[in-house]
Amino acid sequence: MRNILVVLSGPSGVGKGTIAKEIIRRRADMTLSVSCTTRAPRAGEESGREYFFITREAFEKKIADGGFLEYSEHFGNYYGTPKDFVNDCLKNKSVLLEIDVNGGLNVRRAHDGETVLIMIVPPSVEEIRHRLKMRNTESEEQIELRMERIKYELGKAPEYDYSVVNDDLETTIGEVMRIIDEEINK
Ligand code: 5GP
């Protein structure tokens, strides 16, 4: 038995949030990492639960101190994975990170211990395009941008340790549970 860092990535809409929640619910030996962000909390969000909400100054100081395993900016706010928090959690349990593909690859580079990268893949990229079109909430151009992003992320799958096709949610969760069991018991 060993405590490991598991990164779950995949294009948006692939169901990785649901999978991550379910893994945490089912595994007493695993905890979900809490990221830092400079964005304001939304109604009902609590610092230390959804995120650690910190100021831009504090975030930039933490960057300068090498306090993040990775960080990036989305919509003008910083988001990052705190190194000390993850390492503290790892003393007791394995840690699950739900993060984008570039973040995942950066974490592997920055983290000293064992990192297992799992990508959740949609059954078919064309199916996503079809669903987006049917939903009718985005323009043709926005749909194409999202498709480019999805193809970019899926193009990084060979750099991940595992890819799991999310055809049936329960089967996918079972497969991810099996991979984690195997890696923890290595
Ligand atoms: P939201 O503000 O909706 O909670 O998140 C905005 C975006 O930030 C999402 O795409 C989310 O995946 C990303 N994000 C959340 N935490 C982190 C993190 O620790 N690192 C990186 N790179 N992105 C994150």
Side-chain angles (χ1 to χ4, degrees):
M1 278 282 278
R2 55 184 192 163
N3 293 339
I4 55 172
L5 186 55
V6 177
V7 176
L8 204 61
S9 302
S12 70
V14 78
K16 60 179 185 302
T18 312
I19 295 165
K21 261 193 226 106
E22 205 43 39
I23 297 287
I24 293 299
R25 201 179 65 79
R26 294 187 196 187
R27 299 198 75 99
D29 60 354
M30 197 154 216
T31 186
L32 194 63
S33 172
V34 179
S35 297
C36 294
T37 183
T38 59
R39 84 152 161 76
R42 296 182 188 129
E45 285 183 337
E46 260 175 44
S47 202
R49 195 178 61 195
E50 282 78 13
Y51 289 102
F52 295 106
F53 297 98
I54 64 176
T55 64
R56 221 174 158 81
E57 292 68 41
F59 201 105
E60 285 172 348
K61 178 160 190 317
K62 209 169 164 72
I63 296 175
D65 293 344
F68 289 109
L69 284 174
E70 63 76 45
Y71 71 93
S72 67
E73 247 185 304
H74 302 271
F75 318 110
N77 285 305
Y78 284 124
Y79 294 80
T81 310
K83 202 185 273 183
D84 46 2
F85 178 79
V86 167
N87 285 331
D88 280 349
C89 290
L90 277 171
K91 287 178 191 154
N92 304 311
K93 289 184 178 193
S94 287
V95 175
L96 185 65
L97 269 178
E98 187 206 329
I99 203 172
D100 71 17
V101 172
N102 288 327
L105 294 171
N106 287 337
V107 164
R108 167 137 73 195
R109 261 175 241 124
H111 181 55
D112 287 333
E114 186 63 28
T115 310
V116 176
L117 303 183
I118 306 174
M119 192 176 297
I120 307 298
V121 175
S124 135
V125 173
E126 286 315 306
E127 176 59 28
I128 294 189
R129 192 200 301 274
H130 181 69
R131 259 193 275 144
L132 287 174
K133 272 193 179 160
M134 287 297 120
R135 209 168 66 177
N136 219 6
T137 53
E138 275 136 311
S139 69
E140 193 76 28
E141 198 187 348
Q142 281 169 325
I143 290 177
E144 285 319 308
L145 278 175
R146 282 187 62 150
M147 295 307 296
E148 284 309 308
R149 178 74 203 169
I150 289 169
K151 285 180 193 161
Y152 167 81
E153 295 202 325
L154 294 177
K156 300 270 184 184
E159 294 177 58
Y160 268 57
D161 300 306
Y162 300 92
S163 294
V164 181
V165 179
N166 186 19
D167 213 340
D168 169 73
L169 189 62
E170 196 47 48
T171 311
T172 306
I173 293 167
E175 177 63 8
V176 175
M177 289 287 282
R178 193 195 60 72
I179 292 169
I180 295 172
D181 278 337
E182 198 178 290
E183 290 288 344
I184 282 181
N185 289 306
K186 255 186 189 169

